[in-house]
Amino acid sequence: DIQMTQSPSTLSASVGDRVTITCRASQSISSWLAWYQQKPGKAPKLLIYKASSLESGVPSRFSGSGSGTEFTLTISSLQPDDFATYYCQQYNSYHWTFGQGTKVEIK
Amino acid sequence: EVQLVESGGGLVQPGGSLRLSCAASGFTFSSYWMSWVRQAPGKGLEWVANIKQDGSEKYYVDSVKGRFTISRDNAKNSLYLQMNSLRAEDTAVYYCARGTNWGQGTLVTVSS
């Protein structure tokens, strides 16, 4: 199966900071990558699909980039509502896999 | 609007069985691959199984192969997960998913 390595596992940041999370695939997944945000007790919420396409209703401060094996999620100016855990997911193969998650904490 | 509503979770003893259901609405159910994803308490997300539109192809994570069976009833717009020989490590919230649309999940607890 394709392994997804996400970094960092925890990130401490302040409101207004620019934040970048990285996801690396063990083999090429083209652009078949999604990013989710999850808050405690809630289902994951889709932010980005196909590596760089912003889901409808998601603020434009979120952006995704990359293709092949290297991907990034960027939050251009961190807002109080953005403190959460973020996951990448590959759906290039029938066996999906997720990164281990990045918890964004208040500094 | 896409809606996915899971049901059937609960407390079950190790070695027991449980059947999860997912009621789908707001889209043409028979046109989409469907999936189950789970999340153990305090842990990350883990894909469990996928099923093709007509049920002819099914894929499973290694840890559930031979124990779990994914199925669907397109006439009822429903997805199922039959879970047998349950283990403590199967304790998780189970989410039904259509691609990147997910339900709210149902909790399965395996404990004596």
Side-chain angles (χ1 to χ4, degrees), chain A residues 14-79:
Chain A
S14 302
V15 172
D17 283 354
R18 182 181 181 89
V19 166
T20 299
I21 299 168
T22 298
C23 193
R24 180 177 292 113
S26 60
Q27 65 188 72
S28 177
I29 58 170
S30 185
S31 296
W32 301 112
L33 184 103
W35 289 98
Y36 294 86
Q37 177 194 68
Q38 189 178 35
K39 296 183 178 179
K42 300 292 187 182
K45 173 188 172 184
L46 177 67
L47 301 174
I48 302 286
Y49 62 96
K50 216 168 180 183
S52 60
S53 296
L54 190 68
E55 172 71 350
S56 176
V58 173
S60 59
R61 63 182 179 271
F62 291 93
S63 64
S65 64
S67 66
T69 61
E70 296 278 340
F71 302 87
T72 59
L73 172 71
T74 299
I75 309 172
S76 59
S77 177
L78 198 65
Q79 298 302 301

Side-chain angles (χ1 to χ4, degrees), chain A residues 1 34 36 38 41-44 46 48-49 55 87 89 91 93-100, chain B residues 33 35 37 39 43-47 50 57 59-61 65 95 97 99-104:
Chain A
D1 287 0
Y36 294 86
Q38 189 178 35
K42 300 292 187 182
L46 177 67
I48 302 286
Y49 62 96
E55 172 71 350
Y87 294 93
Q89 177 216 357
Y91 51 104
S93 73
Y94 295 123
H95 290 227
W96 296 352
T97 43
F98 293 87
Q100 57 268 57
Chain B
W33 282 78
S35 308
V37 178
Q39 186 171 35
K43 301 296 185 182
L45 300 166
E46 180 182 44
W47 164 77
N50 284 343
E57 294 182 38
Y59 301 90
Y60 299 92
V61 68
K65 275 181 189 172
Y95 296 100
T100 47
N101 295 100
W102 296 36
Q104 289 304 303

